[in-house]
Amino acid sequence: MIPDSCKSPTLPAKMKEAPDIWNDNSQPEAHSSEPQDKVSPASSHYSRHKRTHTGEKQFACPDCDYKTAVSSDLSKHKRIHTGEKPYTCPYCDYRTGKTSSLSRHKRLHVGEKPYSCDKCDYRTGDASALSRHKRIHTGEKPYACPYCDYTTGDTSALSRHKRLHVGEKPYTSKHKRIHTGEKPYACPYCDYKTGDTSALSRHKRIHTGEMPYACPYCDYRTGYPSSLVTHKRLHVGEKPYTCDKCDYRSAVSSNLVTHRRTHTGEKPFACPDCDYKTAVSSALSKHKRIHTGEKPYACPYCDFRTGNTYSLSRHKRLHVGEKPYSCDKCDYRTGDTSALSRHKRIHTGEKPYTCDKCDYRSAVSSHLVTHRRTHTGEKLYLCPQCSYRTGDTSALTAHIRIHTGEKP
C-alpha cells in the first residue's frame, strides 16, 4: 500500500531550491504533456522511492542471486565479480570499488574523525564503527542467529558464529600458505613478510605507532582488536574463561592455559642451560637472565638494574616511599607484596614451608633454605678474615663482628 503522500512525483522543496542539478539548468514540469526522451530526476526518484513500499527489486545480478531496487547499487555489486576497483587513494596504492570505502580510507591518512560518540570521547572516521561502538553503551544486540539464541551487536561476529552451525570453512588460501611457506605480503618499512594481510596490517602499526582501537571507558588505546577486547573485560568484570577443575576464572585465555598446568603439573618451558622447567614462558625468560647476567630494567633514580620488572617496581618504591600494600589486622604497610604475605603469617601463625627431613616448619621460605643446610652440611658463606664457613648469612654476620669488634 503506497501512502497518499507518495502518489505524486512532485519535487521536494530542497530540490526546487537547487535548479542547477537539472540538465539545461531548467526545472522540468512535473506533469508535462510533451514527450520526454529522458526520465526526469523527479520521476526517477519517485520510481525508486515507490520500490521501498512495494519491495520490488528489478535490477538483478547476472552472476548470482543478488537483486536490488537501485541500479547504482547493482553497478557497485558487480565489481565483486569483476574485481574492478576504479577508485584510488591519492596518498597510497589503495584501490576500491566503492566511493564510501575510499572516503573512509583517506581519513586514515589525514587523521580525520568526524563521527563522535555522544556518551564518551570516542571518535572515528567510520560511521559504521560509530554505530557498533554505541552498542557498548546501549547493550543493543540487533543481529540474531537463526539457529540458536545467540545475539550480537556486530555483523562479522554473527557471520563467524553461524559457521559453527553450518560447518562452513570458507577461508583456505591463508591456511595453504602454512604448508607452502608462501609469504606474498611484505612490510614497506622492514624485511617482515607474511601470508596474512591482517597480520601485515597489525605489524605495520609497530612502525607507524597507530593505535586505532580505543577503550570506551578509559584512555587505553591499542593496535590490536583482540587486546582491546581483553582490556574491556577489566572494566565490565567479565571472565569468560573458566577452569573445569576448580573455581578459577580469567578474562584472558592464555592465563587459563597457564593455570591449568597447576593441576596437570605440566612444565613445557625448559632452560637450555640447566634443569629448570616452568609452566610460564615469562618465568623462563626471567630465569635465563640468571645465566646471561642480563639486567635490562634500570632504576631512574640510581644505578640499580635488574632482570625482573617486578623487582624494579619494588625497588623504585624505596625511593618514593610508596607503600601501597597494607595489613588488614594492624597498621603495617609495605611496598612489597611478598613482604605483606610474610607479615600476615605473624597474625595467622601459618608456617607453610616444611622440611622433608624433619618436623621443622617456617613462615619464611628463605628460613627453610637455611635450615636444610643443617641436613646437607652445605656451608656457602665464607669469612673473608679466616677459614670460618657457615650455611647461615646471619651466623656469618655475627662471626665477622669477632674480627671487627663491632657490637650490634
Side-chain angles (χ1 to χ4, degrees), residues 58-220:
Q58 69 184 73
F59 304 105
C61 177
D63 299 307
C64 70
D65 295 334
Y66 177 82
K67 289 187 176 184
T68 180
V70 185
S71 60
S72 59
D73 286 349
L74 179 60
S75 298
K76 285 185 284 191
H77 168 82
K78 284 181 177 178
R79 293 181 189 129
I80 296 173
H81 300 291
T82 64
E84 182 189 6
K85 295 181 179 181
Y87 307 110
T88 61
C89 176
Y91 306 107
C92 70
D93 295 333
Y94 176 82
R95 298 182 70 91
T96 181
K98 294 182 180 180
T99 54
S100 59
S101 296
L102 180 60
S103 297
R104 188 170 58 227
H105 168 83
K106 286 196 292 186
R107 292 183 190 120
L108 297 176
H109 292 287
V110 301
E112 183 188 1
K113 295 181 179 181
Y115 306 108
S116 60
C117 178
D118 57 358
K119 302 293 185 184
C120 68
D121 295 333
Y122 177 82
R123 297 186 69 89
T124 181
D126 184 353
S128 59
L130 178 61
S131 296
R132 289 193 298 269
H133 166 83
K134 284 183 174 179
R135 293 182 191 125
I136 296 171
H137 299 292
T138 64
E140 181 189 7
K141 296 181 178 181
Y143 307 110
C145 176
Y147 306 106
C148 70
D149 295 335
Y150 175 83
T151 60
T152 180
D154 185 350
T155 53
S156 60
L158 179 60
S159 296
R160 287 193 300 268
H161 169 83
K162 285 197 291 187
R163 292 183 193 123
L164 299 176
H165 294 287
V166 300
E168 181 188 0
K169 297 179 180 179
Y171 306 112
T172 59
S173 298
K174 185 165 68 176
H175 171 80
K176 284 179 181 176
R177 294 184 189 120
I178 296 173
H179 300 289
T180 64
E182 182 190 5
K183 296 181 178 181
Y185 307 110
C187 176
Y189 306 105
C190 70
D191 296 334
Y192 177 83
K193 302 188 83 165
T194 180
D196 182 355
T197 53
S198 59
L200 179 60
S201 297
R202 290 192 298 268
H203 167 83
K204 286 196 290 188
R205 292 181 190 127
I206 297 172
H207 300 287
T208 63
E210 182 191 6
M211 294 186 180
Y213 305 105
C215 177
Y217 306 108
C218 70
D219 294 334
Y220 176 84

Side-chain angles (χ1 to χ4, degrees), residues 237-292:
E238 182 187 3
K239 294 183 178 181
Y241 305 106
T242 61
C243 179
D244 56 357
K245 303 292 184 184
C246 68
D247 294 334
Y248 178 84
R249 300 180 69 92
S250 177
V252 185
S253 59
S254 59
N255 287 354
L256 178 61
V257 172
T258 300
H259 166 81
R260 282 177 173 159
R261 294 181 187 133
T262 62
H263 297 292
T264 63
E266 180 190 8
K267 295 181 178 181
F269 305 105
C271 177
D273 299 307
C274 69
D275 295 334
Y276 177 83
K277 288 188 175 184
T278 180
V280 186
S281 60
S282 59
L284 177 61
S285 298
K286 286 185 282 193
H287 167 83
K288 284 180 177 177
R289 295 183 187 125
I290 296 173
H291 299 291
T292 64

